[in-house]
Amino acid sequence: MTTHTEKVSNVAGKTLTTSLIVLGLILLGIGGYASLQVFLQGHEAVYAVNREVPWGLLIATYAYFVITSTGLAFIGGLGHAFGFEKYSKMSKRIVVMAFVILLAGFTQIGMEIGHPIRLMIYLILSPNLSAPIVWMGVFYGIELVILAVELYIIFKPNKKESDHNTAKIVGFFALLVGVLATSNLGYVFGSLNARPFYHGVYFSIFLVISGITAGAALLLAIHNIIYKFKVPESLHSSMKALGKLMGAGIGVMIFLYLWKILSSLYTQPGDSYLAAKALLTGPLSINFWVGELLLAVVLPLAIIVFSKASNMKALGIAGIIFMVGLFFTRYDFIVAGQLPPMREGLAGSGVHTVNGLAQYSPSATEWMIFALGWGVFLVLYFLAERFLILDTKEH
């Protein structure tokens, strides 16, 4: 016997999901062409990263996708493992979304590193266990496996009571490993003594908080898109809970932003100061003020507060706006810390600076690889919406 929400999902899906799948296929084609150019010409010929800024757009988009995935896994874990009924109502969508967007993230890091197959071979044969980046790969690999197991359990027909108990355990480990993976990703940067803006525990905390916020935002956005901004009443309590979680997450982000900027400015004339100035008044200032603060903080928080987290359409719009702003948050996080040069840009030094800062602007190929990630997400996720029942039956 189908529930009311299952019927709504099936009726709402066909035309909309087909259109989004087609859009995803177009983005896959664009990203596939760019990938071919990378393989034929090499990274140096088609990417704009350079000696001063070796981490560019693809590291930012990798962080954008995978941290959102772990935020979704966290919310799913609250539903499965800790009995938050409002989140367990949407458990199927959460797990599918987390799995697919993690795959999208892997496309970004796969196209950024020179030899992904060689990486996997030597990660097994001779891993450097003292390197945080090794553990980042291990944790995200484990997270993918856990999410795959969770997918199998939630779509298994004729589930027994033991399956529900197993789902609780797997959901807990998805939450735990997701937090470990994201905080470790922050530590990959935080362990860099040579880059003061990154150094410390700040980004390990900030990435976890912003990831959970992103998970809530994406769920709000996708549910409104799927139901054409007419979310069924049976999901209203879940959407309100997500709205409050998202609002609380943005509030914590504001607190962290404040102290990161203040502490960086008070290190004048160090590299943290230069990175903060690049955000406030330098080459990243539009990204910071418009992208990070306006789109990822001010507008979505204002919408949540003024709607009292109870207007479904408003929450969906807030989620969409936040996900757009989050891109700038991830991009600025990656780029700002690298703009202060590690050596002075004197004649003959090989270091190229403008007004004392290194320069970076993504190439067309890098943007096309970003499109590849979105193509993977749109095609796989909306195929699931099209052919699977993602509404969870109420127990």
mmCIF file of all heavy atoms in Angstrom, residues 42-89:
data_model
loop_
_atom_site.group_PDB
_atom_site.id
_atom_site.type_symbol
_atom_site.label_atom_id
_atom_site.label_comp_id
_atom_site.label_asym_id
_atom_site.label_seq_id
_atom_site.Cartn_x
_atom_site.Cartn_y
_atom_site.Cartn_z
ATOM 1 N N GLY A 42 47.150 17.697 -21.057
ATOM 2 C CA GLY A 42 47.799 17.776 -19.754
ATOM 3 C C GLY A 42 47.285 18.934 -18.922
ATOM 4 O O GLY A 42 46.729 19.899 -19.436
ATOM 5 N N HIS A 43 47.507 18.811 -17.604
ATOM 6 C CA HIS A 43 47.011 19.810 -16.663
ATOM 7 C C HIS A 43 47.545 21.208 -16.955
ATOM 8 O O HIS A 43 46.810 22.192 -16.946
ATOM 9 C CB HIS A 43 47.411 19.429 -15.227
ATOM 10 C CG HIS A 43 46.597 18.325 -14.648
ATOM 11 N ND1 HIS A 43 46.481 17.089 -15.245
ATOM 12 C CD2 HIS A 43 45.843 18.259 -13.508
ATOM 13 C CE1 HIS A 43 45.701 16.322 -14.503
ATOM 14 N NE2 HIS A 43 45.303 16.999 -13.449
ATOM 15 N N GLU A 44 48.841 21.303 -17.187
ATOM 16 C CA GLU A 44 49.465 22.621 -17.323
ATOM 17 C C GLU A 44 48.903 23.412 -18.486
ATOM 18 O O GLU A 44 48.797 24.641 -18.426
ATOM 19 C CB GLU A 44 50.979 22.451 -17.485
ATOM 20 C CG GLU A 44 51.738 23.775 -17.452
ATOM 21 C CD GLU A 44 53.248 23.584 -17.487
ATOM 22 O OE1 GLU A 44 53.698 22.423 -17.500
ATOM 23 O OE2 GLU A 44 53.964 24.607 -17.496
ATOM 24 N N ALA A 45 48.493 22.712 -19.542
ATOM 25 C CA ALA A 45 48.006 23.390 -20.736
ATOM 26 C C ALA A 45 46.580 23.911 -20.585
ATOM 27 O O ALA A 45 46.209 24.901 -21.221
ATOM 28 C CB ALA A 45 48.090 22.451 -21.941
ATOM 29 N N VAL A 46 45.768 23.256 -19.750
ATOM 30 C CA VAL A 46 44.341 23.596 -19.721
ATOM 31 C C VAL A 46 43.849 24.117 -18.372
ATOM 32 O O VAL A 46 42.751 24.663 -18.283
ATOM 33 C CB VAL A 46 43.477 22.380 -20.135
ATOM 34 C CG1 VAL A 46 43.743 21.995 -21.581
ATOM 35 C CG2 VAL A 46 43.718 21.197 -19.216
ATOM 36 N N TYR A 47 44.631 23.951 -17.323
ATOM 37 C CA TYR A 47 44.250 24.488 -16.019
ATOM 38 C C TYR A 47 45.019 25.769 -15.730
ATOM 39 O O TYR A 47 46.160 25.925 -16.161
ATOM 40 C CB TYR A 47 44.538 23.485 -14.896
ATOM 41 C CG TYR A 47 43.648 22.260 -14.890
ATOM 42 C CD1 TYR A 47 43.993 21.135 -14.138
ATOM 43 C CD2 TYR A 47 42.458 22.210 -15.605
ATOM 44 C CE1 TYR A 47 43.192 19.996 -14.117
ATOM 45 C CE2 TYR A 47 41.657 21.088 -15.600
ATOM 46 C CZ TYR A 47 42.024 19.980 -14.851
ATOM 47 O OH TYR A 47 41.226 18.857 -14.832
ATOM 48 N N ALA A 48 44.406 26.681 -14.965
ATOM 49 C CA ALA A 48 45.030 27.977 -14.684
ATOM 50 C C ALA A 48 45.810 27.995 -13.371
ATOM 51 O O ALA A 48 46.355 29.025 -13.004
ATOM 52 C CB ALA A 48 43.963 29.072 -14.657
ATOM 53 N N VAL A 49 45.832 26.864 -12.654
ATOM 54 C CA VAL A 49 46.633 26.823 -11.430
ATOM 55 C C VAL A 49 48.104 27.032 -11.794
ATOM 56 O O VAL A 49 48.533 26.728 -12.900
ATOM 57 C CB VAL A 49 46.452 25.480 -10.685
ATOM 58 C CG1 VAL A 49 45.076 25.400 -10.054
ATOM 59 C CG2 VAL A 49 46.682 24.290 -11.608
ATOM 60 N N ASN A 50 48.861 27.557 -10.860
ATOM 61 C CA ASN A 50 50.234 27.929 -11.167
ATOM 62 C C ASN A 50 51.137 27.636 -9.969
ATOM 63 O O ASN A 50 50.691 27.069 -8.967
ATOM 64 C CB ASN A 50 50.312 29.411 -11.565
ATOM 65 C CG ASN A 50 49.625 30.305 -10.547
ATOM 66 O OD1 ASN A 50 50.047 30.397 -9.395
ATOM 67 N ND2 ASN A 50 48.543 30.980 -10.967
ATOM 68 N N ARG A 51 52.375 28.059 -10.080
ATOM 69 C CA ARG A 51 53.347 27.779 -9.035
ATOM 70 C C ARG A 51 52.959 28.403 -7.699
ATOM 71 O O ARG A 51 53.151 27.804 -6.639
ATOM 72 C CB ARG A 51 54.711 28.326 -9.491
ATOM 73 C CG ARG A 51 55.848 28.092 -8.519
ATOM 74 C CD ARG A 51 57.129 28.651 -9.106
ATOM 75 N NE ARG A 51 58.262 28.499 -8.186
ATOM 76 C CZ ARG A 51 59.480 28.942 -8.444
ATOM 77 N NH1 ARG A 51 59.728 29.539 -9.599
ATOM 78 N NH2 ARG A 51 60.447 28.771 -7.570
ATOM 79 N N GLU A 52 52.387 29.597 -7.749
ATOM 80 C CA GLU A 52 52.022 30.296 -6.515
ATOM 81 C C GLU A 52 50.686 29.798 -5.950
ATOM 82 O O GLU A 52 50.475 29.794 -4.742
ATOM 83 C CB GLU A 52 51.926 31.801 -6.755
ATOM 84 C CG GLU A 52 53.242 32.472 -7.072
ATOM 85 C CD GLU A 52 53.659 32.282 -8.527
ATOM 86 O OE1 GLU A 52 52.777 32.361 -9.414
ATOM 87 O OE2 GLU A 52 54.843 32.008 -8.785
ATOM 88 N N VAL A 53 49.760 29.428 -6.834
ATOM 89 C CA VAL A 53 48.431 28.957 -6.418
ATOM 90 C C VAL A 53 48.210 27.576 -7.033
ATOM 91 O O VAL A 53 47.556 27.443 -8.061
ATOM 92 C CB VAL A 53 47.321 29.935 -6.856
ATOM 93 C CG1 VAL A 53 45.964 29.498 -6.290
ATOM 94 C CG2 VAL A 53 47.637 31.360 -6.405
ATOM 95 N N PRO A 54 48.749 26.535 -6.412
ATOM 96 C CA PRO A 54 48.635 25.195 -6.994
ATOM 97 C C PRO A 54 47.284 24.527 -6.770
ATOM 98 O O PRO A 54 46.962 23.546 -7.441
ATOM 99 C CB PRO A 54 49.747 24.412 -6.273
ATOM 100 C CG PRO A 54 49.905 25.113 -4.962
ATOM 101 C CD PRO A 54 49.639 26.561 -5.233
ATOM 102 N N TRP A 55 46.504 25.021 -5.812
ATOM 103 C CA TRP A 55 45.162 24.485 -5.567
ATOM 104 C C TRP A 55 44.138 25.486 -6.089
ATOM 105 O O TRP A 55 44.092 26.630 -5.647
ATOM 106 C CB TRP A 55 44.929 24.266 -4.080
ATOM 107 C CG TRP A 55 45.796 23.214 -3.472
ATOM 108 C CD1 TRP A 55 46.337 22.133 -4.103
ATOM 109 C CD2 TRP A 55 46.212 23.137 -2.107
ATOM 110 N NE1 TRP A 55 47.063 21.376 -3.229
ATOM 111 C CE2 TRP A 55 47.008 21.972 -1.986
ATOM 112 C CE3 TRP A 55 46.003 23.919 -0.979
ATOM 113 C CZ2 TRP A 55 47.587 21.574 -0.784
ATOM 114 C CZ3 TRP A 55 46.572 23.536 0.216
ATOM 115 C CH2 TRP A 55 47.350 22.375 0.310
ATOM 116 N N GLY A 56 43.301 25.032 -7.012
ATOM 117 C CA GLY A 56 42.372 25.956 -7.639
ATOM 118 C C GLY A 56 40.922 25.535 -7.524
ATOM 119 O O GLY A 56 40.485 24.954 -6.526
ATOM 120 N N LEU A 57 40.187 25.831 -8.576
ATOM 121 C CA LEU A 57 38.738 25.629 -8.585
ATOM 122 C C LEU A 57 38.350 24.192 -8.265
ATOM 123 O O LEU A 57 37.380 23.951 -7.534
ATOM 124 C CB LEU A 57 38.169 26.032 -9.952
ATOM 125 C CG LEU A 57 36.664 25.815 -10.135
ATOM 126 C CD1 LEU A 57 35.875 26.748 -9.232
ATOM 127 C CD2 LEU A 57 36.263 26.027 -11.596
ATOM 128 N N LEU A 58 39.079 23.217 -8.788
ATOM 129 C CA LEU A 58 38.659 21.829 -8.629
ATOM 130 C C LEU A 58 38.810 21.335 -7.190
ATOM 131 O O LEU A 58 38.058 20.462 -6.755
ATOM 132 C CB LEU A 58 39.434 20.925 -9.591
ATOM 133 C CG LEU A 58 39.213 21.231 -11.084
ATOM 134 C CD1 LEU A 58 39.875 20.181 -11.949
ATOM 135 C CD2 LEU A 58 37.729 21.342 -11.412
ATOM 136 N N ILE A 59 39.754 21.878 -6.455
ATOM 137 C CA ILE A 59 39.833 21.552 -5.028
ATOM 138 C C ILE A 59 38.643 22.179 -4.300
ATOM 139 O O ILE A 59 38.039 21.571 -3.410
ATOM 140 C CB ILE A 59 41.155 22.048 -4.419
ATOM 141 C CG1 ILE A 59 42.343 21.336 -5.071
ATOM 142 C CG2 ILE A 59 41.173 21.833 -2.919
ATOM 143 C CD1 ILE A 59 42.392 19.854 -4.811
ATOM 144 N N ALA A 60 38.272 23.393 -4.713
ATOM 145 C CA ALA A 60 37.115 24.064 -4.102
ATOM 146 C C ALA A 60 35.821 23.302 -4.392
ATOM 147 O O ALA A 60 34.983 23.123 -3.503
ATOM 148 C CB ALA A 60 37.013 25.499 -4.611
ATOM 149 N N THR A 61 35.648 22.843 -5.637
ATOM 150 C CA THR A 61 34.415 22.136 -5.985
ATOM 151 C C THR A 61 34.394 20.732 -5.377
ATOM 152 O O THR A 61 33.327 20.214 -5.031
ATOM 153 C CB THR A 61 34.240 22.067 -7.502
ATOM 154 O OG1 THR A 61 35.406 21.493 -8.117
ATOM 155 C CG2 THR A 61 34.028 23.465 -8.073
ATOM 156 N N TYR A 62 35.566 20.136 -5.234
ATOM 157 C CA TYR A 62 35.657 18.861 -4.510
ATOM 158 C C TYR A 62 35.145 19.048 -3.079
ATOM 159 O O TYR A 62 34.307 18.282 -2.596
ATOM 160 C CB TYR A 62 37.108 18.384 -4.506
ATOM 161 C CG TYR A 62 37.414 17.284 -3.516
ATOM 162 C CD1 TYR A 62 36.897 16.006 -3.686
ATOM 163 C CD2 TYR A 62 38.224 17.534 -2.404
ATOM 164 C CE1 TYR A 62 37.180 14.995 -2.773
ATOM 165 C CE2 TYR A 62 38.512 16.527 -1.495
ATOM 166 C CZ TYR A 62 37.992 15.263 -1.679
ATOM 167 O OH TYR A 62 38.270 14.271 -0.779
ATOM 168 N N ALA A 63 35.638 20.087 -2.420
ATOM 169 C CA ALA A 63 35.176 20.379 -1.059
ATOM 170 C C ALA A 63 33.682 20.686 -1.052
ATOM 171 O O ALA A 63 32.949 20.246 -0.148
ATOM 172 C CB ALA A 63 35.967 21.548 -0.478
ATOM 173 N N TYR A 64 33.218 21.419 -2.038
ATOM 174 C CA TYR A 64 31.795 21.792 -2.136
ATOM 175 C C TYR A 64 30.905 20.552 -2.132
ATOM 176 O O TYR A 64 29.927 20.465 -1.382
ATOM 177 C CB TYR A 64 31.587 22.594 -3.419
ATOM 178 C CG TYR A 64 30.172 23.044 -3.692
ATOM 179 C CD1 TYR A 64 29.690 24.236 -3.165
ATOM 180 C CD2 TYR A 64 29.320 22.290 -4.493
ATOM 181 C CE1 TYR A 64 28.392 24.661 -3.431
ATOM 182 C CE2 TYR A 64 28.033 22.700 -4.762
ATOM 183 C CZ TYR A 64 27.571 23.885 -4.234
ATOM 184 O OH TYR A 64 26.279 24.298 -4.489
ATOM 185 N N PHE A 65 31.246 19.577 -2.953
ATOM 186 C CA PHE A 65 30.415 18.384 -3.076
ATOM 187 C C PHE A 65 30.564 17.440 -1.884
ATOM 188 O O PHE A 65 29.567 17.013 -1.295
ATOM 189 C CB PHE A 65 30.756 17.638 -4.368
ATOM 190 C CG PHE A 65 30.270 18.311 -5.624
ATOM 191 C CD1 PHE A 65 31.153 18.616 -6.653
ATOM 192 C CD2 PHE A 65 28.929 18.627 -5.796
ATOM 193 C CE1 PHE A 65 30.713 19.223 -7.813
ATOM 194 C CE2 PHE A 65 28.478 19.243 -6.954
ATOM 195 C CZ PHE A 65 29.379 19.544 -7.977
ATOM 196 N N VAL A 66 31.808 17.081 -1.535
ATOM 197 C CA VAL A 66 31.983 16.013 -0.536
ATOM 198 C C VAL A 66 31.582 16.469 0.865
ATOM 199 O O VAL A 66 31.064 15.668 1.653
ATOM 200 C CB VAL A 66 33.428 15.459 -0.534
ATOM 201 C CG1 VAL A 66 33.790 14.883 -1.895
ATOM 202 C CG2 VAL A 66 34.449 16.492 -0.084
ATOM 203 N N ILE A 67 31.796 17.741 1.179
ATOM 204 C CA ILE A 67 31.405 18.216 2.509
ATOM 205 C C ILE A 67 29.883 18.296 2.622
ATOM 206 O O ILE A 67 29.313 18.001 3.677
ATOM 207 C CB ILE A 67 32.065 19.574 2.817
ATOM 208 C CG1 ILE A 67 33.590 19.411 2.858
ATOM 209 C CG2 ILE A 67 31.570 20.139 4.137
ATOM 210 C CD1 ILE A 67 34.348 20.716 2.965
ATOM 211 N N THR A 68 29.216 18.633 1.531
ATOM 212 C CA THR A 68 27.755 18.595 1.525
ATOM 213 C C THR A 68 27.259 17.172 1.730
ATOM 214 O O THR A 68 26.284 16.930 2.447
ATOM 215 C CB THR A 68 27.210 19.164 0.201
ATOM 216 O OG1 THR A 68 27.661 20.515 0.038
ATOM 217 C CG2 THR A 68 25.688 19.145 0.190
ATOM 218 N N SER A 69 27.951 16.210 1.121
ATOM 219 C CA SER A 69 27.588 14.802 1.286
ATOM 220 C C SER A 69 27.669 14.384 2.753
ATOM 221 O O SER A 69 26.767 13.719 3.278
ATOM 222 C CB SER A 69 28.508 13.915 0.437
ATOM 223 O OG SER A 69 28.282 12.549 0.712
ATOM 224 N N THR A 70 28.745 14.772 3.420
ATOM 225 C CA THR A 70 28.876 14.377 4.822
ATOM 226 C C THR A 70 27.871 15.114 5.713
ATOM 227 O O THR A 70 27.446 14.581 6.738
ATOM 228 C CB THR A 70 30.313 14.615 5.329
ATOM 229 O OG1 THR A 70 30.706 15.972 5.084
ATOM 230 C CG2 THR A 70 31.291 13.691 4.628
ATOM 231 N N GLY A 71 27.487 16.320 5.311
ATOM 232 C CA GLY A 71 26.411 17.007 6.033
ATOM 233 C C GLY A 71 25.099 16.255 5.909
ATOM 234 O O GLY A 71 24.344 16.107 6.889
ATOM 235 N N LEU A 72 24.812 15.734 4.708
ATOM 236 C CA LEU A 72 23.623 14.912 4.504
ATOM 237 C C LEU A 72 23.698 13.633 5.327
ATOM 238 O O LEU A 72 22.714 13.195 5.928
ATOM 239 C CB LEU A 72 23.476 14.576 3.019
ATOM 240 C CG LEU A 72 23.069 15.728 2.099
ATOM 241 C CD1 LEU A 72 23.360 15.387 0.642
ATOM 242 C CD2 LEU A 72 21.583 16.052 2.273
ATOM 243 N N ALA A 73 24.885 13.007 5.343
ATOM 244 C CA ALA A 73 25.061 11.782 6.124
ATOM 245 C C ALA A 73 24.840 12.045 7.611
ATOM 246 O O ALA A 73 24.301 11.194 8.334
ATOM 247 C CB ALA A 73 26.458 11.203 5.884
ATOM 248 N N PHE A 74 25.255 13.219 8.069
ATOM 249 C CA PHE A 74 25.042 13.601 9.475
ATOM 250 C C PHE A 74 23.549 13.678 9.772
ATOM 251 O O PHE A 74 23.077 13.128 10.781
ATOM 252 C CB PHE A 74 25.717 14.946 9.749
ATOM 253 C CG PHE A 74 25.622 15.404 11.174
ATOM 254 C CD1 PHE A 74 26.630 15.096 12.078
ATOM 255 C CD2 PHE A 74 24.533 16.141 11.618
ATOM 256 C CE1 PHE A 74 26.557 15.509 13.404
ATOM 257 C CE2 PHE A 74 24.447 16.559 12.930
ATOM 258 C CZ PHE A 74 25.460 16.243 13.831
ATOM 259 N N ILE A 75 22.807 14.347 8.916
ATOM 260 C CA ILE A 75 21.363 14.479 9.128
ATOM 261 C C ILE A 75 20.684 13.119 9.039
ATOM 262 O O ILE A 75 19.803 12.785 9.840
ATOM 263 C CB ILE A 75 20.764 15.466 8.099
ATOM 264 C CG1 ILE A 75 21.343 16.871 8.317
ATOM 265 C CG2 ILE A 75 19.246 15.503 8.197
ATOM 266 C CD1 ILE A 75 21.000 17.862 7.221
ATOM 267 N N GLY A 76 21.115 12.299 8.059
ATOM 268 C CA GLY A 76 20.567 10.953 7.953
ATOM 269 C C GLY A 76 20.862 10.119 9.180
ATOM 270 O O GLY A 76 20.023 9.333 9.639
ATOM 271 N N GLY A 77 22.061 10.282 9.737
ATOM 272 C CA GLY A 77 22.423 9.565 10.954
ATOM 273 C C GLY A 77 21.555 9.970 12.134
ATOM 274 O O GLY A 77 21.201 9.135 12.983
ATOM 275 N N LEU A 78 21.199 11.251 12.205
ATOM 276 C CA LEU A 78 20.305 11.701 13.275
ATOM 277 C C LEU A 78 18.953 10.993 13.180
ATOM 278 O O LEU A 78 18.340 10.651 14.192
ATOM 279 C CB LEU A 78 20.096 13.220 13.197
ATOM 280 C CG LEU A 78 21.302 14.107 13.525
ATOM 281 C CD1 LEU A 78 20.926 15.575 13.366
ATOM 282 C CD2 LEU A 78 21.817 13.842 14.937
ATOM 283 N N GLY A 79 18.495 10.773 11.935
ATOM 284 C CA GLY A 79 17.223 10.082 11.744
ATOM 285 C C GLY A 79 17.316 8.603 12.019
ATOM 286 O O GLY A 79 16.499 8.028 12.755
ATOM 287 N N HIS A 80 18.327 7.944 11.439
ATOM 288 C CA HIS A 80 18.452 6.491 11.569
ATOM 289 C C HIS A 80 18.919 6.062 12.960
ATOM 290 O O HIS A 80 18.329 5.198 13.588
ATOM 291 C CB HIS A 80 19.444 5.963 10.527
ATOM 292 C CG HIS A 80 18.814 5.632 9.220
ATOM 293 N ND1 HIS A 80 19.454 5.819 8.013
ATOM 294 C CD2 HIS A 80 17.593 5.139 8.908
ATOM 295 C CE1 HIS A 80 18.650 5.450 7.017
ATOM 296 N NE2 HIS A 80 17.528 5.039 7.547
ATOM 297 N N ALA A 81 20.030 6.660 13.398
ATOM 298 C CA ALA A 81 20.696 6.173 14.616
ATOM 299 C C ALA A 81 20.120 6.760 15.901
ATOM 300 O O ALA A 81 20.120 6.093 16.938
ATOM 301 C CB ALA A 81 22.196 6.471 14.527
ATOM 302 N N PHE A 82 19.649 8.008 15.847
ATOM 303 C CA PHE A 82 19.229 8.684 17.071
ATOM 304 C C PHE A 82 17.725 8.942 17.145
ATOM 305 O O PHE A 82 17.262 9.627 18.055
ATOM 306 C CB PHE A 82 20.003 9.987 17.231
ATOM 307 C CG PHE A 82 21.481 9.773 17.429
ATOM 308 C CD1 PHE A 82 22.365 9.927 16.370
ATOM 309 C CD2 PHE A 82 21.982 9.385 18.654
ATOM 310 C CE1 PHE A 82 23.734 9.714 16.535
ATOM 311 C CE2 PHE A 82 23.340 9.167 18.842
ATOM 312 C CZ PHE A 82 24.223 9.333 17.779
ATOM 313 N N GLY A 83 16.993 8.403 16.166
ATOM 314 C CA GLY A 83 15.540 8.429 16.259
ATOM 315 C C GLY A 83 14.877 9.760 16.034
ATOM 316 O O GLY A 83 13.749 9.971 16.517
ATOM 317 N N PHE A 84 15.536 10.689 15.313
ATOM 318 C CA PHE A 84 14.888 11.959 14.985
ATOM 319 C C PHE A 84 13.866 11.695 13.873
ATOM 320 O O PHE A 84 14.214 11.648 12.694
ATOM 321 C CB PHE A 84 15.915 12.999 14.538
ATOM 322 C CG PHE A 84 16.696 13.611 15.668
ATOM 323 C CD1 PHE A 84 17.620 12.856 16.383
ATOM 324 C CD2 PHE A 84 16.511 14.935 16.037
ATOM 325 C CE1 PHE A 84 18.346 13.407 17.425
ATOM 326 C CE2 PHE A 84 17.221 15.501 17.081
ATOM 327 C CZ PHE A 84 18.143 14.728 17.780
ATOM 328 N N GLU A 85 12.621 11.519 14.265
ATOM 329 C CA GLU A 85 11.585 11.095 13.334
ATOM 330 C C GLU A 85 11.419 12.064 12.157
ATOM 331 O O GLU A 85 11.136 11.656 11.028
ATOM 332 C CB GLU A 85 10.255 10.955 14.083
ATOM 333 C CG GLU A 85 9.104 10.440 13.238
ATOM 334 C CD GLU A 85 9.296 8.996 12.778
ATOM 335 O OE1 GLU A 85 10.021 8.249 13.458
ATOM 336 O OE2 GLU A 85 8.725 8.640 11.744
ATOM 337 N N LYS A 86 11.612 13.352 12.429
ATOM 338 C CA LYS A 86 11.422 14.342 11.371
ATOM 339 C C LYS A 86 12.434 14.172 10.247
ATOM 340 O O LYS A 86 12.173 14.531 9.099
ATOM 341 C CB LYS A 86 11.495 15.752 11.956
ATOM 342 C CG LYS A 86 10.331 16.066 12.899
ATOM 343 C CD LYS A 86 10.477 17.421 13.554
ATOM 344 C CE LYS A 86 9.328 17.684 14.507
ATOM 345 N NZ LYS A 86 9.458 18.985 15.206
ATOM 346 N N TYR A 87 13.610 13.657 10.559
ATOM 347 C CA TYR A 87 14.616 13.405 9.525
ATOM 348 C C TYR A 87 14.482 12.008 8.932
ATOM 349 O O TYR A 87 14.777 11.799 7.754
ATOM 350 C CB TYR A 87 16.019 13.589 10.098
ATOM 351 C CG TYR A 87 16.300 14.985 10.608
ATOM 352 C CD1 TYR A 87 17.035 15.199 11.763
ATOM 353 C CD2 TYR A 87 15.811 16.103 9.937
ATOM 354 C CE1 TYR A 87 17.291 16.471 12.241
ATOM 355 C CE2 TYR A 87 16.047 17.386 10.409
ATOM 356 C CZ TYR A 87 16.797 17.563 11.558
ATOM 357 O OH TYR A 87 17.032 18.831 12.022
ATOM 358 N N SER A 88 14.027 11.050 9.733
ATOM 359 C CA SER A 88 13.886 9.691 9.214
ATOM 360 C C SER A 88 12.784 9.598 8.162
ATOM 361 O O SER A 88 12.772 8.683 7.342
ATOM 362 C CB SER A 88 13.608 8.707 10.357
ATOM 363 O OG SER A 88 12.397 9.009 11.014
ATOM 364 N N LYS A 89 11.847 10.574 8.162
ATOM 365 C CA LYS A 89 10.802 10.602 7.132
ATOM 366 C C LYS A 89 11.363 10.742 5.725
ATOM 367 O O LYS A 89 10.711 10.358 4.746
ATOM 368 C CB LYS A 89 9.840 11.768 7.398
ATOM 369 C CG LYS A 89 8.875 11.574 8.545
ATOM 370 C CD LYS A 89 7.962 12.782 8.633
ATOM 371 C CE LYS A 89 6.966 12.625 9.766
ATOM 372 N NZ LYS A 89 6.051 13.811 9.848
#
